[in-house]
């Protein structure tokens, strides 16, 4: 199996798109586009994202007390996804945001925000599996999600 066929198989799995935001280490809030978001546990409420070992954003998760937010993008936010998809472009200046319950920056206009405290970081090959415990959330049920499929953005189709 070569990596191109591995990637093309993974691209068949449609996902939503999130931007993971964090307070930053002194230089202001940061965000990184992440589609590898997954629910893990209901009790306690846990979710995960997988982050490339090489991303500059990884240092946000070195502190065991780290806090971060998972912003679930709405269907009209593909440009926001591109803005935080690097390389080395994590800066949230110029992007409307407020501050969540645990002091974490949260993007405006998203479908949902999950405000998390770091629960665990696991080895995941060339990525790290970052598990967050959800301490607060906001949902806008009027927003439909941005969908990522076959390496491009889509809107949801009709309901079955
Ligand atoms: C739709 C989409 C989904 C992405 N999902 C992930 C992901 O789950 N994990 C990850 O580490 N990078 C993901 N990326 C790539 C990062 O956003 C990108 O590599 C990073 O912002 C580039 O920063 P760097 O200079 O730190 O590598 C995704 C990019 C896009 C456009």
């Amino acid at each position: 199996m070569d990596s191109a066929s591995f990637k093309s198989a993974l691209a068949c799995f449609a996902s939503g798109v999130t931007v993971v935001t964090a307070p930053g280490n002194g230089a202001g809030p940061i965000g990184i586009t992440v589609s590898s978001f997954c629910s893990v546990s209901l009790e306690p409420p846990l979710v995960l994202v997988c982050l490339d070992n090489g991303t500059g954003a990884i240092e946000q998760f070195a502190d065991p007390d780290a806090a971060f937010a998972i912003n679930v993008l709405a269907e009209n936010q593909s440009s926001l996804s591109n803005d935080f998809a690097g390389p080395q472009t994590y800066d949230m200046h110029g992007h409307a945001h407020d501050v969540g319950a645990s002091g974490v920056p949260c993007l405006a206009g998203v479908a949902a925000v999950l405000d998390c405290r770091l629960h665990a970081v696991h080895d995941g090959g060339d990525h790290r599996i970052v598990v967050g415990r959800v301490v607060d959330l906001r949902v806008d049920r009027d927003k439909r999600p941005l969908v990522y499929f076959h390496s491009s953005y889509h809107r949801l189709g009709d309901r079955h």
Side-chain angles (χ1 to χ4, degrees):
M1 179 191 67
D2 59 28
S3 86
S5 52
F6 181 46
K7 284 183 186 169
S8 75
L10 298 180
C12 294
F13 184 69
S15 70
V17 183
T18 75
V19 174
V20 177
T21 51
N25 295 336
I30 64 103
I32 177 173
T33 299
V34 166
S35 59
S36 58
F37 164 69
C38 183
S39 60
V40 174
S41 160
L42 287 177
E43 191 51 55
L46 302 178
V47 295
L48 69 76
V49 290
C50 299
L51 294 180
D52 193 312
N53 290 334
T55 178
I58 205 79
E59 63 190 35
Q60 300 294 318
F61 305 93
D63 180 349
D65 295 325
F68 60 97
I70 297 171
N71 301 261
V72 180
L73 297 190
E75 63 182 359
N76 62 338
Q77 293 185 308
S78 58
S79 63
L80 201 53
S81 171
N82 291 333
D83 287 348
F84 289 110
Q88 301 288 320
T89 50
Y90 318 116
D91 191 350
M92 285 183 68
H93 288 112
H95 294 286
H97 63 277
D98 58 15
V99 177
S102 59
V104 178
C106 302
L107 289 165
V110 298
V113 180
L114 302 164
D115 199 336
C116 300
R117 294 274 171 188
L118 189 62
H119 179 78
V121 180
H122 301 289
D123 173 61
D126 59 12
H127 281 55
R128 265 175 244 178
I129 303 163
V130 176
V131 181
R133 182 188 176 110
V134 181
V135 295
D136 194 23
L137 53 80
R138 272 185 278 167
V139 178
D140 183 344
R141 288 188 60 86
D142 292 332
K143 294 257 177 356
R144 290 167 67 81
L146 181 62
V147 174
Y148 196 61
F149 172 63
H150 277 179
S151 307
S152 55
Y153 300 111
H154 297 260
R155 292 171 190 258
L156 272 187
D158 294 333
R159 186 174 175 174
H160 278 234

